[in-house]
Amino acid sequence: MEQYPTLAGGQRITGALMRSMQPLFARKTADTPRAATTTVTADPHLQFDVEANAVYAMDGWIKYDGPAAADLNLDWTAPTGSLGEWYCWGAGHSPVITFSAAGAAQLDTQGGRGYPARMETNDITAARSYGTLGTGITPLTLTLGGILRVGSTAGTYSCDWAQLVSDASPVTLYTDSWLRLQRIA
């Protein structure tokens, strides 16, 4: 069993010790649109300072939308030497997912290939793409989790993203999307 921090009998409980036990929480306080770019960049809200030689459990929820032709490319930056895995439950990317007039996801049965849903595990800094249904039609969500093992270098762990295919209309990550890291070792 892993725990952080390991407390000893008679140890003085300080404010710093109590803060080290709390999860790190990042919540988007504003929408972030990105148009006409496939260059992944750190989200201005979804990033953390992580400690060297620490292990963190991660979970989160992301609300987004964008043009059906663009899709969302999600990536991560971690300090040098970091290892781990992440997964995300979300809509597959084009051409599998299309939208109906009512804004509901539907499978493109004519050209069905790719992923109707993505659920595979990924290296902690590997990119994966997720479908969009159209700007302003029906926002989608991603539920994610994983584990980050930071190497001997502390630094920033960030959620990086852009459009998968450049489009003049923006892909937007919405206010109240969030990520949480809980240090476990």
Side-chain angles (χ1 to χ4, degrees):
M1 179 171 82
E2 292 182 300
Q3 63 185 30
Y4 180 85
T6 302
L7 301 175
Q11 180 177 357
R12 183 172 178 198
I13 304 297
T14 65
L17 179 63
M18 295 296 286
R19 280 189 301 280
S20 76
M21 295 178 194
Q22 295 180 336
L24 303 174
F25 196 88
R27 180 183 64 87
K28 289 192 64 59
T29 56
D31 296 350
T32 304
R34 293 190 177 154
T37 183
T38 59
T39 303
V40 294
T41 307
D43 187 273
H45 306 105
L46 302 177
Q47 49 188 287
F48 303 92
D49 291 328
V50 294
E51 300 292 326
N53 303 310
V55 179
Y56 298 90
M58 175 183 70
D59 65 331
W61 177 81
I62 295 174
K63 178 182 175 184
Y64 71 100
D65 82 349
D71 294 326
L72 170 66
N73 192 27
L74 194 61
D75 202 353
W76 305 89
T77 297
T80 301
S82 295
L83 299 170
E85 298 282 327
W86 72 282
Y87 73 91
C88 191
W89 289 74
H93 58 80
S94 298
V96 174
I97 299 298
T98 62
F99 63 92
S100 68
Q106 60 188 31
L107 180 62
D108 176 2
T109 56
Q110 293 290 343
R113 59 188 188 277
Y115 298 92
R118 296 203 78 167
M119 299 163 268
E120 71 273 24
T121 183
N122 312 291
D123 181 78
I124 199 65
T125 57
R128 289 290 177 258
S129 54
Y130 297 90
T132 51
L133 297 177
T135 304
I137 294 177
T138 300
L140 296 173
T141 61
L142 302 173
T143 302
L144 54 97
I147 193 151
L148 169 65
R149 299 185 320 271
V150 182
S152 60
T153 304
T156 301
Y157 182 62
S158 64
C159 176
D160 307 344
W161 63 276
Q163 296 177 331
L164 180 63
V165 176
S166 184
D167 193 283
S169 296
V171 169
T172 302
L173 263 59
Y174 286 107
T175 302
D176 292 332
S177 296
W178 59 270
L179 293 175
R180 176 175 42 207
L181 293 181
Q182 175 69 56
R183 186 165 179 183
I184 59 173

